[in-house]
Amino acid sequence: MRVSDAADVVENDEGGAVFVWGMAASCWDAGDVVARRLAAVQLVVTGAATQVEVGAAFGAGEATVQRWMAAWRRDGLGGLVPARKGPRGPSKLTAERVAGIGALRAEGASMDAIAAATGVSRNSVSRALAEPPAPVPPEPTVAVPGGGGQSDSGSQLVPLARPEPREEERQAARRGELAEAEPVICEGGSLPLAGALLVLPALAATGLVGCFEEVFGKTRAAFYGLRSLVLAVVFAVLVGEPRAEGLTRIDPVDAGRLLGLDRAPEVKTLRRRMQKLAILGRSDRLMMALARRHVAAHPDATGVFYVDGHVRAYHGGAELPKAHVTRMRLSMPAAVDTWVADAFGDGVLCWTAPPPASLVGELARVAEVIRDLVGADRRPTICFDRGGWSPKLFAGLVAAGFDVLTYRKQPVTAEPRRAFTEHTHLDEAGRTHRYLLADRRVRIAWRDGTRRRRFACRQITRLDPDSGHQTHIVTTRGDDAAVIAHAMFSRWRQENLFRYLRAHYGLDALDSYATVADDLDRSVPNPTKKTASARARDARRQLADIEDRLPDAMPADLAEAHASAVAYVEALTAEARAVPARVPLGDLHPDAAVHDGERKRLHDAIRMATYNAETALARLLAPHYARAEDEARSLLREALRSPADLHIVGNELHVRINPLSAPRRTRAIAGLCHDLNTTATYYPGTQLTLHYSIKKP
């Protein structure tokens, strides 16, 4: 097993060895715990690997490796000897002494008096007087062939067990005799990355695998079916490798255990199979299927839809249309994706907008899609930023049965201080928000051709008491002003979605550099018009400068030169006016192309569903973790990348996750495990119910 770029570890039933730069550095016999721990410590001390890498390779957490190092520095080899669990001597609470304690308590003696009379501590007296706990039946012991370690339940599990090779099934798939390899769980102890299985109940709620199978149906015979391909991307994202090439940085055996296979697909296999799905051109159908599942499962989140565009820069060699990348403050080749999120900021669906993309132009399509999702009887609110400002668009959305919520773009007179009153709002998480708001009706003028029209709406202005800054909101909703203000300011939930997806989910990854022909009939600005207009403008300016210095009475030759200059300028101006302002794209760039985003959208569908699943887990953590608002996702990332035991008991797959870096974080994940167990989720492709717990230290 690869530990780092410099080190590898080989371990079997007879023992193990560590190789550094291909040279044997240390070894140990089976059962020699001290030598094995010493090898792990030496890898960190010599700088050959980090504590995280060593912990993953040796089936221990980072905190465990830290304890080994501290014990080795303090006590040498003696510090690496496993301490005997349990009491260090025979219990003082013999049956006779317990009976005596009970008798003294029955006579009315105090706890301290009983402790002094019997020679035990007050805590021992409390334990003796407490009602004995109900006996817990032990889990059945399942002997795994070649088992060398023992889990906390008493069952024999092989540490770092490797799945059985499945070459016969691979050969059958090549012959077309196997439609898809069925998952076979590899039972074992401290299996790296097995904590990622925590996501499965929340992922099942998104319907990701089912939507893929519904849209793409049965594929040709292959060892890796749709389920395996989709879950391979999901698990790669969760362990920090959101791009396809990230699979080269994950041990294929470790990822294969998560899929119920002997190894995960290689990068070339994943790319080839995803490209074959992309050729079918069904990404929009997949997005809509996921959106329908999401809307049906979260009706309380579909009162407000947040809409925004995300500019994805292109770094390939093709000449693509440019777009302004706000976060980079420059214009460069890029594609613009339109994203729709629900009231809580969870992704609903996305698509690539055709160039030239604008939020105003995209909102008409957004309205059609949302109406299809929510039905004809609902009146949802579409919320967007100033990029969608268009009173004409607002009127169209209202006529189509939507409410509008956005910031006011036009210059507006500040509201007087006396117009503001304090409002409070209690959000879905139980937090109270206070706003200073002014509320009044306004009419916004706009032109429809030659006619001047007005759009009537409501303007709610928020005052920042510290800076005095006023933020103006326009809406057609008629409910409480504090509710509207909170909905508008919660638009940052979608910005947070973009930020998190960029940092952890590879949102800006191209996933494919393929291009397709652009629409050659598309009207684009004519660059010749700009050049001709600039020449005429410069000539007029120069003529004006010369005329300012000419005398009132000009000689004949000077007057003739002036007339010639005026004629030249008029000719340039007429020439510039004759140049069309816009021309078909094909006249300028016959080979114009755009990025082929079909494969990108398939990956984005998986990323969006995975993000929604992680978000659901983060919300479940809130009752169990005091700092969930700030640290829920970082805690989840630690748990999802932790080793765990996999053990089948009856028709249940037990996933026992290693303790985390701090007791409070371990307790929070234990509470999450309890909540997930109530869902009774099946491991995909099997009838095994998932059962989660924390492994006893």
Side-chain angles (χ1 to χ4, degrees), residues 289-328:
L290 286 170
R292 293 185 193 282
R293 290 288 295 265
H294 185 86
V295 170
H298 305 87
D300 56 331
T302 56
V304 177
F305 288 93
Y306 296 107
V307 183
D308 201 359
H310 175 73
V311 181
R312 175 168 39 86
Y314 174 80
H315 301 285
E319 293 186 7
L320 266 62
K322 292 185 177 181
H324 182 72
V325 186
T326 305
R327 60 185 179 278
M328 298 182 180

Side-chain angles (χ1 to χ4, degrees), residues 541-663:
R541 185 175 61 252
Q542 293 176 12
L543 179 61
D545 292 341
I546 293 173
E547 289 176 338
D548 289 342
R549 298 194 295 269
L550 289 176
D552 294 336
M554 292 184 290
D557 57 344
L558 185 58
E560 183 179 353
H562 175 257
S564 177
V566 170
Y568 175 73
V569 170
E570 290 177 350
L572 286 179
T573 303
E575 180 183 345
R577 290 173 179 171
V579 176
R582 302 183 71 85
V583 295
L585 175 63
D587 293 351
L588 301 177
H589 303 286
D591 56 348
V594 294
H595 181 240
D596 183 7
E598 188 70 20
R599 198 167 96 190
K600 165 69 176 174
R601 286 192 291 274
L602 295 180
H603 282 273
D604 280 347
I606 299 175
R607 292 177 178 123
M608 183 180 69
T610 307
Y611 172 83
N612 290 346
E614 183 182 332
T615 302
L617 294 181
R619 292 184 182 127
L620 286 176
L621 268 177
H624 309 293
Y625 196 57
R627 294 188 55 81
E629 185 174 353
D630 300 319
E631 299 179 3
R633 292 191 182 275
S634 63
L635 172 55
L636 280 173
R637 289 197 298 273
E638 180 184 358
L640 292 168
R641 301 173 191 179
S642 296
D645 293 352
L646 296 184
H647 181 35
I648 298 177
V649 180
N651 62 346
E652 290 185 337
L653 172 57
H654 286 249
V655 182
R656 301 191 191 93
I657 301 171
N658 282 13
L660 304 188
S661 58

Side-chain angles (χ1 to χ4, degrees), residues 124-340:
S124 296
V125 174
S126 299
R127 289 198 303 273
L129 294 175
E131 183 179 359
V136 178
E139 289 186 358
T141 299
V142 178
V144 179
Q150 189 171 8
S151 73
D152 52 0
S153 67
S155 59
Q156 300 293 326
L157 292 176
V158 178
L160 305 176
R162 300 180 69 86
E164 291 294 331
R166 303 176 66 174
E167 290 302 323
E168 292 184 2
E169 292 174 86
R170 294 178 186 275
Q171 294 296 334
R174 293 189 184 99
R175 296 191 300 268
E177 300 172 358
L178 179 68
E180 179 180 5
E182 296 298 326
V184 177
I185 304 301
C186 173
E187 298 183 81
S190 298
L191 302 179
L193 307 181
L197 296 177
L198 269 175
V199 79
L200 289 179
L203 190 70
T206 68
L208 176 63
V209 175
C211 288
F212 259 91
E213 294 175 342
E214 171 190 336
V215 171
F216 292 100
K218 293 294 183 180
T219 58
R220 67 175 182 83
F223 183 80
Y224 297 106
L226 272 178
R227 178 182 61 245
S228 301
L229 292 174
V230 172
L231 292 180
V233 178
V234 170
F235 291 132
V237 167
L238 293 175
V239 300
E241 297 294 348
R243 292 171 169 84
E245 58 269 21
L247 287 174
T248 61
R249 296 183 284 272
I250 304 174
D251 189 321
V253 174
D254 293 343
R257 293 192 194 95
L258 304 179
L259 305 174
L261 304 174
D262 55 345
R263 58 187 295 114
E266 296 183 3
V267 174
K268 63 180 182 180
T269 301
L270 180 63
R271 285 177 172 165
R272 183 180 67 252
R273 295 291 304 281
M274 295 300 285
Q275 181 60 30
K276 289 183 177 180
L277 296 179
I279 291 174
L280 299 176
R282 300 176 184 175
S283 63
D284 289 341
R285 287 174 53 186
L286 174 64
M287 283 288 185
M288 284 300 296
L290 286 170
R292 293 185 193 282
R293 290 288 295 265
H294 185 86
V295 170
H298 305 87
D300 56 331
T302 56
V304 177
F305 288 93
Y306 296 107
V307 183
D308 201 359
H310 175 73
V311 181
R312 175 168 39 86
Y314 174 80
H315 301 285
E319 293 186 7
L320 266 62
K322 292 185 177 181
H324 182 72
V325 186
T326 305
R327 60 185 179 278
M328 298 182 180
R329 298 185 179 180
L330 55 84
S331 181
M332 62 184 299
V336 180
D337 297 330
T338 300
W339 282 74
V340 180

Side-chain angles (χ1 to χ4, degrees), residues 23-83:
M23 305 288 290
S26 57
C27 63
W28 61 90
D29 293 329
D32 191 346
V33 178
V34 175
R36 186 174 184 272
R37 292 181 177 180
L38 178 62
V41 169
Q42 288 175 338
L43 281 175
V44 179
V45 172
T46 59
T50 65
Q51 293 178 2
V52 175
E53 292 170 337
V54 170
F58 280 77
E62 182 182 0
T64 301
V65 177
Q66 290 176 349
R67 288 196 298 271
W68 290 351
M69 292 184 63
W72 176 73
R73 289 192 175 105
R74 183 179 62 250
D75 302 321
L77 288 177
L80 299 178
V81 177

